[in-house]
Amino acid sequence: MSGGKWPRRLQLAVLAALASIMLAGCGSDYVVLNPKGPVAQTQYDLIMISIILCSIIIIPVIALTAFIVYRYRDTPNNKATYKPNWAHSTKLEVIWWSIPIVIIAILGYFTVRDTYALKENPNKEVQPMVIQVTSLDWKWLFTYPEQNIATVNYLQIPAGVPVQFQISAEAPMNSFWVPELGGQIYAMAGMTTELYLQADHPGEFQGRGANFTGEGFAHMQFNVKATSQDEFDQWVKEVKGTTPAMSKEDYEQLRKPGLSDVLTYSSFPEGLFEEIVSKYSHGHPMETGGSMHDSMHMDGDKKESAPGSEAGEKKDESAHSTHHMPNTAMTPVMSH
């Protein structure tokens, strides 16, 4: 009877494994493993390299474990050599120390290389478009400073153009994520993080919040639509001609906890994103990883603080009173 149970158990185990795979989805449903842009492709390659390198250790260890359990099992007819005084083998020590060290060195090289590469514009030949992202309770606000439009829970971008996202929050910490275009990055009040993404071809992708933020967290999703440059320009023109402007009162309503449908605005209050960040920065300097906004402020600061000028003296006094505060700008973190 016991001999008949094992084949049945094996069949059940195989069926359970197959069911898990089928229920998990297939093909493009594995969005993290379905890259649609250069950033996501770089991260996908790094994931595959990590899996292969780890498999070099994991598979032999599992196989040796099964072999040892079988070979040295406690049965009357087991002819395995019994060596109770064996304690050391220089050859084995060299093997099981040198192989992991080499693998860790290789993995470290690829990880460092790709981590630094992902902080840069993925397409040096094309000027990136800037989009400011604000995480709210429980909705996403996107402001386009170059086009002077805003959207809620909807993002449209031109395909083939890198997008420099400047990300902050006026709500509990969240994480901005479009799996098919790249890894996630934190959105935190009083701080800005930076993330480059690019869609290689037109298409629609699902964006989401990847950090629990309370009751409406499950609804913090947004559609990302990549179109041709002409279609994107036409969409911007339609938004500016057919939708209302966002006022400060509109934003105050948006920032209140609650869900929201997709909204579009033909304009938004100037400096809104910078105001949101500075509101919670407690006097710390705002940084966005070298954005155009920073460049303009740096140029202005240079002019205002010219030696001998009255503005420069006042600025020096202000700086002296706050220079001890640490910088709160966050370095982008790639997450798989």
Side-chain angles (χ1 to χ4, degrees):
M1 181 178 289
S2 61
K5 286 184 177 180
W6 279 106
R8 184 177 299 177
R9 291 177 180 175
L10 182 60
Q11 290 175 2
L12 290 174
V14 172
L15 289 174
L18 290 174
S20 299
I21 295 173
M22 295 297 289
L23 291 173
C26 60
S28 61
D29 290 338
Y30 292 105
V31 289
V32 175
L33 303 180
N34 186 37
K36 297 298 183 181
V39 175
Q41 184 63 52
T42 299
Q43 294 176 347
Y44 172 83
D45 293 341
L46 183 57
I47 291 172
M48 291 297 105
I49 291 171
S50 301
I51 290 174
I52 292 171
L53 292 173
C54 291
S55 298
I56 294 175
I57 295 178
I58 293 172
I59 292 176
V61 167
I62 293 175
L64 284 170
T65 301
F67 169 76
I68 291 170
V69 169
Y70 177 80
R71 183 72 177 87
Y72 297 98
R73 68 195 187 281
D74 186 13
T75 59
N77 299 322
N78 193 338
K79 303 300 183 182
T81 303
Y82 179 58
K83 297 181 178 180
N85 298 319
W86 182 87
H88 178 75
S89 171
T90 301
K91 183 184 297 184
L92 290 177
E93 289 283 353
V94 170
I95 291 173
W96 63 48
W97 279 107
S98 60
I99 293 177
I101 289 173
V102 171
I103 289 175
I104 290 172
I106 296 173
L107 182 59
Y109 164 75
F110 284 108
T111 301
V112 171
R113 184 198 67 178
D114 291 345
T115 299
Y116 278 95
L118 289 168
K119 294 178 66 176
E120 305 295 332
N121 180 359
N123 189 348
K124 303 296 185 181
E125 298 179 356
V126 180
Q127 180 71 21
M129 183 179 76
V130 176
I131 296 179
Q132 299 162 334
V133 183
T134 305
S135 173
L136 302 171
D137 276 334
W138 291 278
K139 56 195 78 75
W140 291 97
L141 171 64
F142 303 100
T143 50
Y144 295 66
E146 297 166 0
Q147 290 76 23
N148 191 30
I149 61 172
T151 62
V152 176
N153 292 338
Y154 176 75
L155 185 62
Q156 186 156 333
I157 59 175
V161 176
V163 181
Q164 181 191 35
F165 289 97
Q166 298 171 2
I167 304 161
S168 190
E170 188 161 10
M173 184 175 73
N174 208 320
S175 189
F176 175 78
W177 192 23
V178 186
E180 290 177 284
L181 298 184
Q184 58 183 291
I185 193 167
Y186 286 125
M188 292 172 281
M191 306 179 185
T192 55
T193 52
E194 184 181 276
L195 178 67
Y196 283 97
L197 296 180
Q198 176 181 318
D200 284 336
H201 306 287
E204 294 192 16
F205 316 102
Q206 185 67 41
R208 64 194 68 174
N211 198 72
F212 182 69
T213 57
E215 179 183 357
F217 161 73
H219 301 280
M220 287 198 68
Q221 301 181 1
F222 56 93
N223 289 325
V224 181
K225 186 175 182 180
T227 63
S228 66
Q229 183 67 57
D230 291 340
E231 289 178 282
F232 175 78
D233 293 339
Q234 182 61 35
W235 171 74
V236 172
K237 186 179 297 185
E238 290 177 3
V239 170
K240 295 188 77 65
T242 60
T243 61
M246 177 192 289
S247 64
K248 284 292 185 68
E249 290 73 20
D250 292 329
Y251 176 74
E252 290 302 318
Q253 288 298 318
L254 282 174
R255 67 186 290 266
K256 294 179 180 179
L259 306 181
S260 175
D261 295 326
V262 173
L263 300 172
T264 54
Y265 297 94
S266 60
S267 65
F268 60 90
E270 184 178 357
L272 176 63
F273 181 77
E274 292 77 11
E275 182 180 325
I276 294 169
V277 176
S278 62
K279 184 186 301 184
Y280 303 99
S281 64
H282 306 293
H284 297 183
M286 171 187 169
E287 291 189 11
T288 55
S291 67
M292 290 183 292
H293 177 268
D294 289 329
S295 299
M296 291 187 290
H297 273 267
M298 288 174 64
D299 292 341
D301 291 345
K302 290 178 181 178
K303 292 177 181 178
E304 293 177 6
S305 59
S309 68
E310 182 179 352
E313 292 175 1
K314 291 181 179 179
K315 195 170 186 67
D316 289 341
E317 293 175 2
S318 175
H320 179 72
S321 64
T322 60
H323 78 279
H324 63 281
M325 295 182 178
N327 193 338
T328 60
M330 299 302 295
T331 301
V333 178
M334 183 186 72
S335 175
H336 296 157

